Amino acid sequence: QLNTLCLSLFNHVGPHLIADRCDIQVDQAWIFHLSDGTVRNKYDGKCLTAEAELEVWAGPLVDGSQAVLLLNRGNIGSEPITVKWSYINFPANKSALVRDLVNRKDLGTFTGSYTSPNITRHEIMMLKVTPTA
């Protein structure tokens, strides 16, 4: 059961997403909805996008950047997933630095959006998106 738990990413022997008790902020708590099988933010009740089992989740970090989780909930194949800056309250005409948190690698500076490489079924990509000046 995920109700009122927080999702945490660990990369000890590969990426692992686990649920722990929340003790920081209410916007880091998630609720599992049996009706549609989604995990939604307790603060605003939303997943940022959900298209054909492809999801984009995000939350603000203290430095003004956003932590972004790209999730392929599909059962077959692999697909790229796009996060638009409008999803994370960044101006669409501005640039942002995108960092792959799991692989600890800067992916570059992008304007308006970032599209991932193909993400395999049931896999994730965890990003940090930082607006540039």
Side-chain angles (χ1 to χ4, degrees), residues 67-78:
V68 177
L69 176 79
L70 307 178
L71 170 63
N72 181 347
R73 292 184 58 212
N75 288 320
I76 58 172
S78 65

Side-chain angles (χ1 to χ4, degrees), residues 4-119:
T4 69
L5 297 179
C6 292
L7 299 177
S8 301
L9 179 72
F10 293 93
N11 193 23
H12 299 290
V13 185
H16 298 283
L17 196 62
I18 65 165
D20 278 324
R21 292 183 63 173
C22 295
D23 57 70
I24 302 172
Q25 297 176 10
V26 71
D27 65 350
Q28 294 176 335
W30 306 90
I31 298 173
F32 179 73
H33 292 267
L34 288 172
S35 61
D36 61 5
T38 61
V39 179
R40 297 187 180 271
N41 184 286
K42 182 178 178 181
Y43 177 71
D44 61 14
K46 295 193 247 182
C47 162
L48 292 178
T49 66
E51 295 179 21
E53 299 181 332
L54 304 176
E55 297 182 6
V56 177
W57 294 80
L61 299 173
V62 294
D63 66 358
S65 63
Q66 291 274 333
V68 177
L69 176 79
L70 307 178
L71 170 63
N72 181 347
R73 292 184 58 212
N75 288 320
I76 58 172
S78 65
E79 306 244 3
I81 301 175
T82 298
V83 55
K84 295 180 181 180
W85 291 177
S86 61
Y87 296 167
I88 57 176
N89 297 319
F90 289 173
N93 63 343
K94 297 294 182 179
S95 297
L97 176 65
V98 177
R99 181 171 178 80
D100 180 333
L101 294 177
V102 173
N103 294 306
R104 299 178 183 153
K105 178 180 172 186
D106 288 335
L107 301 177
T109 301
F110 299 85
T111 302
S113 67
Y114 169 77
T115 300
S116 73
N118 283 359
I119 298 176

